[in-house]
């Protein structure tokens, strides 16, 4: 069983959306814990982006109204077994923040996906509402093809 942390830049769109979807399927995917954070998030907590919440609700995913964004903390690298970044920039930030001795495995959320033509979840924050739909499509595709072997996520990417 795996404790999973999903990470995007600010923890306002992509990672909370992935958290909501993965929490519903956690047991069947072998996940004991699913949370999200932002590698570049503000120290001040914010609510999830309204556009992300609307897309989640349209597809039947709930989000605790008390949910607030948070920044990745040093102790996350000891608490979580697997920490997945939404894009390479976020992954670089995670690698820079990871303590020298840490059991956490880092990787890209879409690593190992074929047929998509991309391996990063694009940031929808400055885009149109359809960008949030696309992000949710990618998250659902990843969940439907969740690998049984975590090594898929751990490709050495810069």
């Amino acid at each position: 069983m795996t404790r999973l942390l999903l990470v995007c830049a600010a923890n306002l769109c992509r990672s909370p959306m992935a958290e909501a979807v993965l929490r519903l399927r956690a047991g069947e995917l072998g996940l004991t814990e699913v949370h999200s954070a932002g590698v570049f998030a503000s120290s001040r907590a914010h609510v999830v982006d309204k556009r992300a919440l609307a897309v989640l609700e349209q597809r039947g995913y709930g989000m605790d109204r008390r949910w607030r964004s948070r920044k990745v903390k040093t102790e996350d690298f000891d608490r979580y077994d697997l920490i997945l970044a939404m894009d390479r920039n976020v992954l670089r930030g995670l690698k820079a923040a990871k303590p020298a001795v840490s059991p956490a495995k880092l990787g890209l959320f879409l690593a190992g996906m074929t047929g998509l033509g991309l391996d990063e979840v694009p940031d929808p924050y400055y885009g149109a509402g359809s960008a949030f739909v696309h992000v949710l499509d990618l998250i659902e595709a990843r969940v439907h093809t969740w690998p049984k072997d975590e090594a898929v996520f751990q490709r050495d990417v810069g």
Side-chain angles (χ1 to χ4, degrees):
M1 298 299 266
T2 301
R3 294 167 302 191
L4 173 66
L5 182 65
L6 300 152
V7 183
C8 66
N11 194 215
L12 297 174
C13 308
R14 296 174 290 173
S15 59
M17 290 173 76
E19 177 184 347
V21 174
L22 280 156
R23 278 181 179 249
L24 278 180
R25 308 255 325 261
E28 68 189 80
L29 299 175
L31 304 171
T32 56
E33 193 175 332
V34 178
H35 289 99
S36 64
V39 75
F40 309 116
S42 167
S43 57
R44 187 171 154 240
H46 296 276
V47 297
V48 69
D49 186 286
K50 291 176 185 176
R51 298 164 295 175
L53 187 59
V55 169
L56 285 169
E57 289 176 348
Q58 286 171 359
R59 295 218 190 146
Y61 298 106
M63 185 129 222
D64 185 337
R65 297 293 179 174
R66 295 172 293 173
W67 183 94
R68 296 293 181 266
S69 65
R70 74 171 185 85
K71 189 172 177 117
V72 171
K73 300 178 261 185
T74 303
E75 50 269 24
D76 289 333
F77 295 96
D78 290 324
R79 178 177 179 177
Y80 295 97
D81 305 303
L82 184 60
I83 302 175
L84 297 179
M86 294 294 154
D87 62 45
R88 283 184 176 78
N89 190 41
V90 170
L91 184 58
R92 279 190 292 276
L94 286 169
K95 286 180 177 183
K98 184 179 179 185
V101 178
S102 167
K105 297 170 187 158
L106 307 180
L108 283 173
F109 182 74
L110 291 182
M113 292 285 292
T114 57
L116 292 177
L118 70 160
D119 60 2
E120 298 178 292
V121 179
D123 191 344
Y125 189 78
Y126 295 105
S130 61
F132 289 84
V133 172
H134 178 62
V135 165
L136 187 52
D137 289 343
L138 292 171
I139 292 166
E140 288 178 330
R142 166 83 286 169
V143 171
H144 284 79
T145 60
W146 195 258
K148 299 196 184 328
D149 181 5
E150 291 176 7
V152 166
F153 294 113
Q154 298 159 42
R155 293 188 177 161
D156 190 22
V157 293

